[in-house]
Amino acid sequence: MNFLAHLHLAAHTRSSLTGNLLGDFIKGPLPTGLPAPFDEGIWLHRKIDAFTDAHPSHRAAVAGFEAPWRRFGGILVDMLYDHWLSLHWQQFSGAPLPRFLQQSYAQLLEDHHRLPQGLPMALRRMAEQDWLASYQYREGVGAALDGIGRRLRRPLPLGEALLTLDEPRWREAEHGFLHFYPELMRFCEKQIAARRDLP
């Protein structure tokens, strides 16, 4: 999953928003030496990614991309999931998306000062420049993918991959997301409840 979904799932389970996003940047064993809420967020991030990667809907969406784009299918689908989460936001959250993003960015920037190395630069820029609002639009997702593509070892215009999905495959993958995401929300609820019940 990508940044918006991790923020939403963190808020949904009342776990650390910052910790959930740090899961993309902090590898290795837990605990990390950071405050416990950050470690819990990193732990949940890893559970989310493992559940997502193994889910049939996610695998089917990845398979919808043909070569040479399929090797980047995980990145592409994670970004598309943020797009569809934006479009269908009211099904999954009681807070309007602009307010949720504003509050999330404020929390990230506040936590920047609680981290020994501060926020990773990508997260700080995301919060300061409101990247996630653009994910509501296909063009915004394409531009974000192009940015990722420029950072690959062999740069390529990753956003062009979206143009290879015809409308039936696009709708099929979107339908798969709408079936999958509530399952992921329930999975996260159970994982956090079980973790917090441990002695």
Side-chain angles (χ1 to χ4, degrees), residues 14-33:
R14 295 179 173 83
S15 62
S16 167
L17 276 69
T18 302
N20 271 270
L21 294 195
L22 287 175
D24 273 333
F25 301 90
I26 294 180
K27 310 301 179 184
L30 295 173
T32 61

Side-chain angles (χ1 to χ4, degrees), residues 34-108:
L34 295 172
F38 293 140
D39 275 355
E40 181 184 77
I42 294 167
W43 173 86
L44 182 60
H45 178 113
R46 295 174 182 178
K47 293 289 186 181
I48 290 167
D49 283 356
F51 182 87
T52 300
D53 290 345
H55 197 280
S57 292
H58 188 271
R59 290 184 172 184
V62 169
F65 289 96
E66 299 175 356
W69 304 112
R70 187 175 295 173
R71 62 184 294 228
F72 304 103
I75 297 170
L76 296 166
V77 173
D78 285 353
M79 289 295 295
L80 283 173
Y81 278 5
D82 268 11
H83 171 64
W84 290 320
L85 178 57
S86 297
L87 291 183
H88 300 283
W89 182 258
Q90 291 182 328
Q91 292 187 36
F92 305 113
S93 176
L97 181 58
R99 184 197 307 162
F100 175 81
L101 291 177
Q102 182 181 34
Q103 292 172 343
S104 297
Y105 295 150
Q107 184 64 59
L108 289 172

Side-chain angles (χ1 to χ4, degrees), residues 121-182:
M121 185 59 69
L123 296 183
R124 189 167 181 183
R125 286 180 179 164
M126 179 193 72
E128 292 172 343
Q129 300 172 14
D130 189 17
W131 289 357
L132 301 184
S134 70
Y135 290 2
Q136 298 172 72
Y137 311 102
R138 290 193 193 191
E139 297 81 3
V141 175
L145 285 168
D146 283 340
I148 294 170
R150 285 192 292 272
R151 296 192 296 274
L152 296 174
R153 186 172 56 187
R154 295 182 178 177
L156 78 167
L158 203 52
E160 290 184 7
L162 301 183
L163 303 177
T164 68
L165 287 182
D166 58 23
E167 202 61 24
R169 282 189 293 171
W170 184 279
R171 293 301 170 203
E172 181 181 1
E174 183 176 7
H175 178 76
F177 166 78
L178 292 172
H179 172 75
F180 155 74
Y181 198 70

